Amino acid sequence: MPTKPAPAPFTADDYRARMARAAESAADAGLAGVLVAPGPDLVYLTGYQPTAITERLTVLVLAAGQDPVLVVPTLEAPDAEHAAGAAALTLRNWTDGKDPYAVTAPLLDVDGRFGVSDNAWAMHLLGLQKELPGTSYVALTEALPMLRAVKDEHELARLEAAGAAADEAYGEIVKVRFAGRKETEVAADLAALLMKYGHSQVDFTVVGSGPNGANPHHEAGDRTIGQGDMVVLDFGGLKHGYGSDTTRTVHVGEPDVAEQRVHDVVREAQQAGFEAVRPGAACQDVDRAARAVIADAGYGEYFIHRTGHGIGVTTHEPPYMIEGEERPLVPGMCFSIEPGIYLPGRFGVRIEDIVTVTDDGGRRLNNTDRAMAIVE
């Protein structure tokens, strides 16, 4: 199969539209504006990522009816000027020895309530509060949880490419030897395969063998994988700036009846969650559909996490497929569907695909076989 060309870079107009949408969404939510610190929100809105996140204040100020302004340290201004979205905003820099909060304060409503990136440093938020005691702040995940949730066609192309690369990695990992090797060795193979297929960053390579598979976020360790082990493989990272995340559970040699039964239940649950995806359905409906299959099979107490999470410029972001989340699904949303059963001291099983909401249902971005693969 020929390699697809890399997606075209996002343009200043793309970032201009994102910043305008964020400012309008903030106004609709009753906020005076949005303050964006270095991290995924800043990358999404401007294409700028400082080479190092330090104690020096960097903040993007967005407000309806006001041009976007990025406040940066003078020594980092040259890098900011070359960001893909720089032409869509105004740079305001400050030099060491000056008060960055005094530089930022004139951009803010003195009595306003602002949405703030979740990963903003407390020292910076407290500095702004001291300069402007009449202001108040709320985390963006609380105020604008859907800021990055609905992907356009260019973002979807990146997520599709990341998912396809993860699928290629899985297609090769099931051919390597598992028995007699440490979990860390298989994890290293997975990381290398993700990079081979175009990932710029590997975020995680969970390899949970035997009883370690009953820990959903087990970090690959020195346990030697043995004949008869169930092995959970959960791996992903970033390609073209967007995330991959997939899980398959394999078995070293032939499984016994009980192991096969648990895997079958999880596979049925994952399918049920996928079939619940449609525009207008609540996020919790996906969780309910998958959870019902597992509960009806008698394993409800062993499904110990939400069914899914959103994905985009980070591998975990809103929306979340969890009971109580009544937000409706919208075409362009992308998220995982990953039910699991975890039997302490024995083994675990999880199956995960990234899914996007379409106009009439859902579409998987991971398409490897969900049946239990037998490995050596």
Side-chain angles (χ1 to χ4, degrees), residues 148-161 163 243 245 270 273-279 286 309-312 319 321 329-337 353-367:
R148 307 195 315 253
V150 178
K151 276 63 179 179
D152 63 26
E153 61 179 317
H154 304 295
E155 293 180 283
L156 283 173
R158 286 163 168 78
L159 285 164
E160 288 172 358
D245 187 1
Q270 209 270 348
F274 173 71
E275 291 176 358
V277 176
R278 63 184 183 281
V286 178
H309 57 81
I311 191 169
M321 306 301 112
L329 300 179
V330 175
M333 282 183 175
C334 297
F335 48 85
S336 67
I337 299 178
D353 294 325
I354 299 302
V355 171
T356 184
V357 184
T358 65
D359 290 336
D360 57 3
R363 177 167 62 89
R364 285 186 167 98
L365 302 187
N366 294 108
N367 294 289

Side-chain angles (χ1 to χ4, degrees), residues 298-324:
Y299 295 102
E301 66 183 293
Y302 302 111
F303 182 10
I304 55 177
H305 55 73
R306 65 196 175 205
T307 293
H309 57 81
I311 191 169
V313 294
T314 59
T315 49
H316 281 208
E317 61 186 46
Y320 297 104
M321 306 301 112
I322 190 171
E323 180 65 31

Side-chain angles (χ1 to χ4, degrees), residues 2-299:
T3 302
K4 289 186 177 181
F10 294 121
T11 67
D13 285 341
D14 293 324
Y15 292 112
R16 183 178 289 109
R18 291 178 185 180
M19 287 188 283
R21 187 168 63 248
E24 292 164 5
S25 297
D28 291 343
L31 299 174
V34 174
L35 306 180
V36 184
D41 289 326
L42 188 62
V43 172
Y44 173 77
L45 290 166
T46 70
Y48 176 53
Q49 182 168 320
T51 54
I53 298 175
T54 71
E55 73 284 354
R56 293 184 173 95
L57 176 70
T58 295
V59 63
L60 173 69
V61 180
L62 301 176
Q66 179 177 308
D67 290 338
V69 177
L70 180 62
V71 178
V72 296
T74 299
L75 78 169
E76 296 176 5
D79 288 338
E81 289 170 353
H82 288 95
L89 51 79
T90 298
L91 286 178
R92 181 170 297 185
N93 57 54
W94 61 275
T95 57
D96 284 354
K98 301 294 184 181
D99 184 349
Y101 311 112
V103 173
T104 307
L107 304 172
L108 309 184
D109 180 339
V110 296
D111 295 313
R113 181 171 173 79
F114 294 87
V116 181
S117 328
D118 295 4
N119 56 337
W121 282 24
M123 65 178 284
H124 295 320
L125 191 57
L126 292 170
L128 288 171
Q129 284 183 313
K130 183 178 180 180
E131 189 73 23
L132 297 170
T135 55
S136 59
Y137 305 89
V138 61
L140 275 184
T141 291
E142 179 183 342
L144 300 176
M146 296 297 105
L147 178 65
R148 307 195 315 253
V150 178
K151 276 63 179 179
D152 63 26
E153 61 179 317
H154 304 295
E155 293 180 283
L156 283 173
R158 286 163 168 78
L159 285 164
E160 288 172 358
D167 284 356
E168 294 279 10
Y170 176 71
E172 289 203 30
I173 200 67
V174 294
K175 299 174 185 176
V176 309
R177 183 163 186 83
F178 280 66
R181 302 178 70 211
K182 294 180 179 179
E183 292 173 342
T184 51
E185 294 176 306
V186 176
D189 288 344
L190 269 172
L193 287 167
L194 287 172
M195 299 298 285
K196 172 184 175 180
Y197 288 107
H199 279 63
S200 59
Q201 174 178 314
V202 176
D203 287 344
F204 49 88
T205 50
V206 172
V207 179
S209 64
N212 288 342
N215 175 0
H217 281 174
H218 171 70
E219 185 173 347
D222 288 336
R223 183 181 186 275
T224 298
I225 301 169
Q227 189 71 24
D229 276 350
M230 193 86 82
V231 186
V232 178
L233 304 173
D234 182 354
F235 51 98
L238 298 182
K239 179 175 182 176
H240 305 314
Y242 279 72
S244 68
D245 187 1
T246 189
T247 308
R248 294 292 185 264
T249 302
V250 303
H251 197 277
V252 185
E254 292 297 327
D256 63 28
V257 173
E259 290 169 330
Q260 185 65 60
R261 170 59 178 155
V262 170
H263 193 280
D264 288 346
V265 170
V266 173
R267 186 179 178 189
E268 291 166 14
Q270 209 270 348
Q271 179 65 24
F274 173 71
E275 291 176 358
V277 176
R278 63 184 183 281
C283 292
Q284 68 180 4
D285 292 342
V286 178
D287 182 87
R288 288 175 174 178
R291 200 167 299 275
V293 172
I294 291 175
D296 289 348
Y299 295 102

